[in-house]
């Protein structure tokens, strides 16, 4: 029996989350959301039209889906905080995916600024899911700051390279048990999603690989199924891999000295 | 150019930008210019009617343009500090801010603190072209005016980045000099800026020169094939950099070349001062793609692209 996947008290049946950028049309996006069975999607505030017309992306997201407004475009904590507050004022709820990126070439998140923004926003009652570089100290700080989950990157955004950060993510999985770990970015094919779930991640977020596929809805479904398979494999403990460090100066050395 | 290069450029564009194309329109507010650029329709050498919009006129232009649904605008002035001082540009930014969430500027080079003032007023990006990186050609084509100072212009992008602007657009005017050398120098300039100011979103433009009446200089013809090479090479060298294609290119050519790297298109454009309300006057260049925003959006949708109208929201720059 699997334990439920809960973020900030809200249970999600699907462990597959979807990003909404780069799609060819909003109709395709809507179809992909529905067919994948996802229950949470992330949308950049910068892409939400101020006008309530047919071009507003929000009209294409079914009502029962959790909207994670993201702070795309924020270069530091202050900007992320302002974007989050604008999103709430605009009526988009208080679930925020923090993205603080000050490098447009690699799009790597700035953990230090992300922690600062999380502290402030969690204190204001936001439910914060921070996109982060998988670093144990940063993950601990984010949990302490009140994050509702942590979202380590698998590899660079849009790179489709898979779990290049595998070992560092595994360390987070081993050590962070207060909040869910959602692997975000770089998941390029369903097998990457399965791998991350087998490793013990709680969920996966995919965008580029789905949005740029020839058939996004079918691809999203394949990812969602891989997530289910990976989770089943994790629960059944199929793998017998050691992940314990081996000390370079074993304790037995001391025994001999004594 | 090999098909392989084009195919790789296409794949990279799809991977990094997906099926999204941003749309914007230029808003010319003044054509007074102190420069003598031999190739330009707004050059001081030309006896054209000069015009500078008042705040009320700017507002009227914004209203007309906003009605089309556009949200990204590029405010342009001729290069005259006297006629279009920073205070005038700032006022334009403040007026435009009432109608558009995303404002960029194409103006004469400023100092860092002046760019900063405009950033705080709500401008998020600046476009500045070196035109050519060939110093000799540059000197010949810019016989007088502040623009004659190559280094002063070259240093402007760095000042823009230092001021905190989010977007910086660079470019070369194709035809002025050897495009291969200019492209190499532009890449070098961009690499330097990317390294020093990694937080800025960069984009590049490759306008092809259109000869203006009375210009007897010889320029290098740039074929469609060369344009494709330039765009595809740029995409391969800089997978995440934006590439902009203006309405000086024909509708047919824009539609064809789109998938090989282009990420931004202007649409429903006028290059005349006050051109959205009034058909009088001379434009900076001739528009070859006269389609309205609606028509460009239709074309994009038909080709499987999502026309991106909303790309930013003013968050109160600090």
């Amino acid at each position: 029996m699997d334990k439920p996947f809960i973020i900030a008290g809200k249970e999600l049946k699907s462990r597959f989350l979807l990003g909404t950028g780069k799609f060819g049309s909003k109709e395709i996006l809507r179809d992909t959301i529905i067919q994948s069975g996802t229950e949470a999607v992330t949308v950049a505030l910068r892409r939400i039209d101020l006008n309530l017309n047919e071009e507003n992306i929000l009209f294409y997201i079914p009502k029962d889906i959790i909207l994670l407004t993201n702070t795309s475009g924020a270069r530091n904590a202050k900007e992320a905080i302002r974007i989050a507050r604008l999103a709430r004022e605009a009526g988009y709820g208080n679930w925020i995916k923090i993205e603080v990126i000050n490098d447009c070439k690699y799009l790597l998140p700035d953990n230090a600024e992300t922690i600062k923004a999380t502290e402030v926003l969690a204190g204001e009652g936001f439910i914060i899911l921070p996109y982060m570089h998988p670093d144990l100290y940063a993950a601990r700080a984010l949990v302490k700051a009140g994050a509702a989950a942590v979202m380590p990157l698998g590899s660079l955004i849009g790179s489709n390279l898979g779990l290049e950060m595998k070992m560092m993510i595994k360390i987070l999985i081993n050590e962070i048990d207060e909040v869910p770990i959602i692997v975000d970015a770089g998941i390029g094919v369903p097998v990457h999603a399965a791998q991350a779930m087998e490793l013990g991640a709680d969920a996966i977020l995919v965008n580029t690989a789905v949005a740029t596929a020839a058939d996004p809805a079918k691809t999203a479904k394949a990812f969602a199924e891989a997530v289910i398979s990976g989770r089943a494999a994790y629960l059944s403990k199929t793998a017998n891999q050691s992940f314990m460090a081996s000390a370079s100066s074993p304790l037995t050395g001391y025994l001999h000295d004594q | 150019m090999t098909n392989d290069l084009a195919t790789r450029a296409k794949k990279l564009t799809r991977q990094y930008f997906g099926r999204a194309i941003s749309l914007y329109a230029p808003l010319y507010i003044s054509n007074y210019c102190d420069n003598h650029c031999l190739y330009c329709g707004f050059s001081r050498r030309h006896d054209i009617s000069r015009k500078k919009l008042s705040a009320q006129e700017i507002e009227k232009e914004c209203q007309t343009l906003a009605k089309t649904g556009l949200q990204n605008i590029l405010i342009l002035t001729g290069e005259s500090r006297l006629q279009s001082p920073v205070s005038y540009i700032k006022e334009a930014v403040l007026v435009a801010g009432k109608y558009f969430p995303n404002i960029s500027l194409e103006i004469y080079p400023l100092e860092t603190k002046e760019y900063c003032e405009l950033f705080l007023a709500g401008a998020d990006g600046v476009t500045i072209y070196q035109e050519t990186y060939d110093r000799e050609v540059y000197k010949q084509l810019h016989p007088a005016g502040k623009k004659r100072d190559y280094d002063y212009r070259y240093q402007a992008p760095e000042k823009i980045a230092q001021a905190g602007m989010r977007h910086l657009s660079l470019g070369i005017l194709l035809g002025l000099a050897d495009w291969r050398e200019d492209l190499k120098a532009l890449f070098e300039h961009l690499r330097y800026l990317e390294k020093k100011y990694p937080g800025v979103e960069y984009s590049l433009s490759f306008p092809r020169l259109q000869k203006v009446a009375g210009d007897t200089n010889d320029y290098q013809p740039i074929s469609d094939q060369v344009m494709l090479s330039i765009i595809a090479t740029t995409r391969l060298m800089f997978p995440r950099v934006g590439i902009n294609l203006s309405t000086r290119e024909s509708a047919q050519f824009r539609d064809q070349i789109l998938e090989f790297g282009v990420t931004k298109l202007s649409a429903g454009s006028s290059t005349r001062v006050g051109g959205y309300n009034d058909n009088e006057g001379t434009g900076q260049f001739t528009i070859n793609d006269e389609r309205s925003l609606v028509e460009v959006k239709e074309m994009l949708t038909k080709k499987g692209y999502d026309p991106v109208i909303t790309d930013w929201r003013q968050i109160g720059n600090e």
Side-chain angles (χ1 to χ4, degrees):
Chain A
M1 184 66 185
D2 197 356
K3 64 173 188 188
F5 171 41
I6 297 172
I7 308 174
K10 168 92 180 162
E11 184 178 347
L12 283 85
K13 298 276 180 260
S14 172
R15 291 171 182 268
F16 173 72
L17 285 73
L18 186 68
T20 57
K22 301 185 182 177
F23 280 82
S25 78
K26 296 180 183 72
E27 288 79 11
I28 294 173
L29 168 65
R30 179 173 53 202
D31 201 31
T32 305
I33 292 172
I34 294 167
Q35 289 206 38
S36 70
T38 186
E39 291 168 286
V41 300
T42 180
V43 181
L45 181 75
R46 67 194 280 181
R47 285 281 166 90
I48 302 177
D49 206 303
L50 289 163
N51 308 310
L52 294 176
N53 56 28
E54 81 282 359
E55 282 170 23
N56 196 315
I57 192 168
L58 296 181
F59 291 158
Y60 297 82
I61 298 169
K63 290 277 169 282
D64 52 342
I65 301 284
I66 294 175
L67 184 69
L68 279 168
T69 312
N70 73 56
T71 62
S72 165
R75 299 179 294 185
N76 52 46
K78 277 186 176 176
E79 290 184 355
I81 291 165
R82 288 208 295 273
I83 293 173
R85 287 175 182 159
L86 279 172
R88 183 152 73 180
E89 281 164 23
Y92 307 144
N94 61 346
W95 287 62
I96 299 289
K97 180 186 166 202
I98 295 187
E99 289 182 20
V100 179
I101 292 174
N102 199 19
D103 187 307
C104 292
K105 196 167 172 186
Y106 299 103
L107 300 181
L108 285 168
D110 182 331
N111 279 352
E113 291 293 307
T114 303
I115 294 164
K116 279 191 221 163
T118 302
E119 269 167 359
V120 173
L121 293 170
E124 293 177 11
F126 284 94
I127 293 165
I128 298 299
L129 289 85
Y131 172 56
M132 64 156 332
H133 201 282
D135 169 84
L136 181 60
Y137 294 98
R140 283 178 176 147
L142 286 167
V143 171
K144 200 174 161 202
V150 288
M151 304 184 79
L153 60 101
S155 48
L156 299 180
I157 292 179
S159 68
N160 296 329
L161 287 172
L163 288 184
E164 290 288 322
M165 307 304 291
K166 187 175 173 186
M167 182 180 278
M168 297 303 137
I169 290 175
K170 181 64 183 168
I171 291 172
L172 299 195
I173 290 168
N174 284 354
E175 301 303 326
I176 304 291
D177 49 15
E178 300 88 340
V179 298
I181 291 170
I182 304 169
V183 176
D184 182 6
I187 304 295
V189 284
V191 71
H192 296 152
Q195 274 173 353
M197 294 304 291
E198 279 178 37
L199 214 57
D202 293 286
I204 301 295
L205 189 144
V206 185
N207 186 354
T208 299
V210 169
T212 63
D215 186 337
K218 209 181 247 178
T219 307
K221 217 168 157 220
F223 272 104
E225 284 166 5
V227 165
I228 293 169
S229 295
R231 182 69 183 171
Y234 168 73
L235 292 172
S236 60
K237 298 185 170 52
T238 49
N240 182 27
Q241 293 167 331
S242 164
F243 199 76
M244 294 300 289
S246 174
S248 53
S249 304
L251 281 174
T252 48
Y254 291 99
L255 293 177
H256 289 303
D257 289 344
Q258 285 168 0
Chain B
M1 192 185 66
T2 62
N3 279 338
D4 185 44
L5 178 67
T7 309
R8 280 166 60 205
K10 205 164 140 177
K11 278 189 182 161
L12 279 173
T13 308
R14 180 60 52 89
Q15 183 184 346
Y16 287 106
F17 293 89
R19 295 162 196 264
I21 298 273
S22 294
L23 297 174
Y24 74 96
L27 175 59
Y28 284 78
I29 59 169
S30 167
N31 62 2
Y32 283 95
C33 194
D34 298 339
N35 292 323
H36 293 244
C37 315
L38 297 185
Y39 49 83
C40 180
F42 280 176
S43 163
R44 188 171 181 157
R45 299 154 56 87
H46 298 301
D47 184 22
I48 58 166
S49 75
R50 302 283 171 177
K51 200 164 154 187
K52 173 180 153 187
L53 301 183
S54 67
Q56 289 76 15
E57 286 168 325
I58 292 171
E59 182 135 20
K60 202 172 150 206
E61 286 284 278
C62 290
Q63 285 164 346
T64 309
L65 203 48
K67 268 190 212 138
T68 66
L70 261 170
Q71 300 196 12
N72 303 322
I73 62 154
L74 176 66
I75 296 177
L76 296 99
T77 65
E79 300 202 0
S80 171
R81 192 178 263 275
L82 191 72
Q83 291 290 340
S84 316
V86 175
S87 56
Y88 171 69
I89 299 168
K90 184 177 170 182
E91 196 177 5
V93 171
L94 291 171
V95 170
K98 293 195 270 177
Y99 300 91
F100 305 101
N102 192 4
I103 300 163
S104 291
L105 304 169
E106 189 170 341
I107 51 176
Y108 53 92
L110 305 179
E111 294 306 323
T112 306
K113 64 173 194 311
E114 294 172 319
Y115 282 125
C116 204
E117 207 181 322
L118 297 174
F119 174 68
L120 295 177
D124 283 302
V126 180
T127 293
I128 187 150
Y129 301 158
Q130 188 67 23
E131 318 292 10
T132 175
Y133 288 88
D134 183 324
R135 282 179 181 269
E136 215 28 64
V137 173
Y138 189 93
K139 213 155 108 188
Q140 286 163 21
L141 294 172
H142 305 101
K146 186 74 181 163
K147 195 166 171 180
R148 189 168 169 73
D149 187 343
Y150 179 100
D151 293 315
Y152 181 66
R153 194 167 186 88
Y154 188 87
Q155 286 152 6
E158 193 152 5
K159 294 174 184 168
I160 293 162
Q162 282 166 355
M165 289 283 177
R166 296 170 203 283
H167 314 287
L168 178 45
S169 190
L170 309 175
I172 43 179
L173 185 52
L174 295 169
L176 296 185
D178 181 344
W179 66 267
R180 290 175 192 83
E181 293 302 319
D182 267 346
L183 195 62
K184 267 200 293 195
L186 173 67
F187 287 174
E188 211 175 293
H189 197 180
L190 177 58
R191 248 188 235 110
Y192 166 80
L193 291 164
E194 271 190 339
K195 199 164 162 54
K196 208 159 171 200
Y197 307 98
V200 176
E201 270 183 41
Y202 295 95
S203 52
L204 299 178
S205 295
F206 303 103
R208 279 193 275 196
L209 182 79
Q210 294 174 342
K211 224 165 162 174
V212 297
D215 182 0
T216 53
N217 283 286
D218 278 332
Y219 298 106
Q220 316 213 1
I222 304 290
S223 67
D224 287 358
Q225 192 61 30
V226 167
M227 273 300 276
L228 175 58
S229 290
I230 290 172
I231 287 173
T233 306
T234 302
R235 177 53 63 230
L236 260 56
M237 300 293 285
F238 300 93
R240 290 197 198 269
V241 159
I243 298 177
N244 171 41
L245 201 61
S246 84
T247 51
R248 61 171 79 210
E249 298 294 343
S250 72
Q252 194 196 4
F253 182 68
R254 287 173 111 203
D255 295 4
Q256 279 171 357
I257 206 162
L258 200 58
E259 58 187 351
F260 299 103
V262 177
T263 59
K264 286 182 191 178
L265 291 175
S266 48
S269 302
S270 166
T271 62
R272 285 188 305 266
V273 176
Y276 295 107
N277 286 295
D278 174 1
N279 280 331
E280 298 292 303
T282 316
Q284 191 190 22
F285 58 82
T286 311
I287 289 177
N288 286 314
D289 181 355
E290 304 250 8
R291 289 175 295 184
S292 67
L293 176 68
V294 175
E295 287 167 325
V296 172
K297 273 161 69 179
E298 270 171 18
M299 174 276 289
L300 289 173
T301 308
K302 220 161 142 189
K303 286 174 89 81
Y305 286 96
D306 183 26
V308 174
I309 301 294
T310 307
D311 212 6
W312 188 242
R313 162 177 311 223
Q314 290 195 17
I315 60 169
N317 291 339
E318 275 184 6

